[in-house]
Amino acid sequence: KFRDDLINQTKVFPKDDFVAALIGNILSEQEHGSSGPWDKADNFRLNYHQKRDIELLYGEDSEITATVEYHSNSYEVKLKASSKLGEVDVTETVSGRKIGENRVEIQYGDRVQFYDFVREGQDLYVVDSEGRVTNMKIKLPKFDTTDAASAGAKNTIKSPLPGTIVKFECQPGDAVEAGQTLVILKAMKKEHKLQAGEDAIVEEVFGQEGEVVAHGKVLVKFEKKPEDGSESDE
């Protein structure tokens, strides 16, 4: 009933709130034992230098591209967007820790801020020290076999997020069809089906069930298609 009154209506991009939400989300996943490169083992972080890309939705028209990179004891957070709030291109280096179930401490150099943090599904809520609430939504990635930034990506399936291989549903030599599930990956506390984008022959699979994989890791490689006219009639 009072959601519109509670959600921050500021016309200035709340970059500190976004930083707090991103760090709070990562710390919560780590604390609750999500399988991913942000987890800890014996109080030491695995994959010491880790990078993560997250797409966020803010309001009705703003899509925020966030990159969080972990360096030893700090996080480098980059935010980029273009919206009615103007151009956003900021980088913050912060440290953070959880205090209790829903509270985070973020340190920006000599400045320390405290936030209440809640995640409900894909919605992230942060409340600053003055009681202002900012809401944003994690935009789930589209899981497919392509990666426009990588050459030859149509011949592979890559992990779209840090996660854990739950199951391979293919093996080398299999003829697979477009839309067929080939890998089940657990990421962000959910299982995701990675599917073939077109008919193909599986050449090789990489990894094993239960293995933690980083974003962008090749999981399935397909045989190269013969050039036009090179196939012989049987």
Side-chain angles (χ1 to χ4, degrees), residues 85-105:
L85 296 176
E87 296 293 326
V88 176
D89 188 352
V90 298
T91 300
E92 291 279 359
T93 299
V94 303
S95 59
R97 67 188 182 101
K98 286 200 72 179
I99 305 173
E101 181 65 24
N102 297 309
R103 193 162 176 79
V104 293
E105 175 190 284

Side-chain angles (χ1 to χ4, degrees), residues 9 13 25 32 55 70 121 151 183 226 233:
Q9 301 296 320
F13 181 75
N25 185 55
H32 289 91
E55 296 290 328
Y70 181 70
V183 186
D233 295 330

Side-chain angles (χ1 to χ4, degrees), residues 26-232:
I26 288 170
L27 292 173
S28 292
E29 289 182 356
Q30 175 184 303
E31 182 180 69
H32 289 91
S34 65
S35 297
W38 295 96
D39 285 353
K40 291 194 297 186
D42 298 327
N43 292 320
F44 289 94
R45 290 180 184 272
L46 304 178
N47 292 345
Y48 154 81
H49 187 89
Q50 184 59 266
K51 182 178 179 181
R52 188 170 185 181
D53 295 315
I54 304 173
E55 296 290 328
L56 298 168
L57 302 176
Y58 178 60
E60 297 180 355
D61 66 335
S62 299
E63 293 192 12
I64 314 297
T65 299
T67 299
V68 184
E69 192 162 4
Y70 181 70
H71 300 270
S72 185
N73 295 313
S74 66
Y75 298 91
E76 182 181 79
V77 182
K78 296 181 180 179
L79 300 170
K80 289 189 177 183
S82 179
S83 69
K84 290 181 179 179
L85 296 176
E87 296 293 326
V88 176
D89 188 352
V90 298
T91 300
E92 291 279 359
T93 299
V94 303
S95 59
R97 67 188 182 101
K98 286 200 72 179
I99 305 173
E101 181 65 24
N102 297 309
R103 193 162 176 79
V104 293
E105 175 190 284
I106 307 295
Q107 184 166 352
Y108 308 80
D110 296 331
R111 178 168 60 96
V112 177
Q113 293 282 100
F114 295 90
Y115 298 85
D116 290 315
F117 166 83
V118 176
R119 175 172 176 176
E120 295 180 351
Q122 302 313 121
D123 285 296
L124 303 179
Y125 298 89
V126 288
V127 185
D128 66 16
S129 58
E130 297 182 5
R132 289 188 295 257
V133 182
T134 300
N135 168 230
M136 62 211 71
K137 184 183 292 288
I138 294 176
K139 183 179 179 181
L140 289 178
K142 295 180 180 179
F143 297 99
D144 55 35
T145 62
T146 62
D147 184 343
S150 301
K154 289 186 178 180
N155 292 324
T156 64
I157 288 181
K158 297 181 180 181
S159 175
L161 282 175
T164 302
I165 299 171
V166 176
K167 185 179 181 182
F168 281 104
E169 297 198 343
C170 66
Q171 57 186 354
D174 284 356
V176 298
E177 299 179 350
Q180 181 177 334
T181 297
L182 304 185
V183 186
I184 298 177
L185 182 77
K186 185 175 182 181
M188 296 172 65
K189 301 182 181 180
K190 292 186 178 181
E191 290 189 356
H192 305 279
K193 297 179 179 180
L194 310 188
Q195 302 173 337
E198 57 187 7
D199 296 352
I201 303 294
V202 176
E203 179 178 316
E204 193 172 357
V205 299
F206 301 89
Q208 57 187 354
E209 295 176 5
E211 181 179 342
V212 175
V213 296
H215 168 263
K217 176 179 172 59
V218 175
L219 302 176
V220 179
K221 181 180 179 182
F222 302 109
E223 292 183 4
K224 290 184 178 180
K225 289 188 175 181
E227 299 294 333
D228 291 344
S230 63
E231 288 185 297
S232 60

Side-chain angles (χ1 to χ4, degrees), residues 4-21:
D4 291 339
D5 293 328
L6 290 171
I7 299 301
N8 191 1
Q9 301 296 320
T10 180
K11 299 301 182 182
V12 178
F13 181 75
K15 64 179 180 65
D16 286 358
D17 295 348
F18 272 78
V19 170

